[in-house]
Amino acid sequence: MIAPSSTNGVLALLAAALAVVEFLRGEPVPWEAKPGLLARARLRPASARAIALRLVPGGSIRRARIEVKRDLLIFSYSIKRHGTRGLTSVEVEVDAMTGRVVRAPAG
């Protein structure tokens, strides 16, 4: 049995291993605003990324991070809209625990 004090270490190790696998598959690994946030997330980064990209068809991720905002653990994405001029990035936020979209582009 794993002692409670070492559980966080094991979760952090598993989160790091998942991040390496996603990096090797060419998927961007979210930057952690604070160490250990990826280990706390129930949603995998690849799933959150897919949810965000569904809201911006044809878009590409410019920046990905996991952070705590308004007491929620969220994946935050800056997504470039293709085929537009001027300001081309939109922000999408996905709850890292439930997969619910917290912030989405208008229209």
Side-chain angles (χ1 to χ4, degrees):
M1 180 173 209
I2 297 174
S5 61
S6 66
T7 301
N8 287 338
V10 170
L11 289 175
L13 183 62
L14 288 172
L18 279 174
V20 168
V21 167
E22 289 177 350
F23 174 77
L24 293 174
R25 289 170 51 185
E27 297 174 8
V29 178
W31 175 78
E32 289 181 286
K34 186 174 173 184
L37 293 181
L38 274 173
R40 290 177 40 200
R42 288 187 184 153
L43 192 66
R44 291 191 47 224
S47 299
R49 178 179 179 264
I51 291 168
L53 286 173
R54 271 198 300 262
L55 298 172
V56 186
S60 61
I61 305 274
R62 288 183 141 182
R63 179 187 50 80
R65 63 188 290 164
I66 185 167
E67 58 193 334
V68 176
K69 277 189 172 177
R70 300 173 301 274
D71 295 327
L72 292 174
L73 183 61
I74 62 164
F75 286 103
S76 177
Y77 295 97
S78 176
I79 302 176
K80 181 182 185 313
R81 289 184 194 246
H82 291 287
T84 59
R85 294 177 187 252
L87 261 182
T88 60
S89 290
V90 294
E91 295 293 320
V92 176
E93 295 177 354
V94 179
D95 188 313
M97 304 305 273
T98 65
R100 182 177 64 88
V101 174
V102 177
R103 180 179 176 195

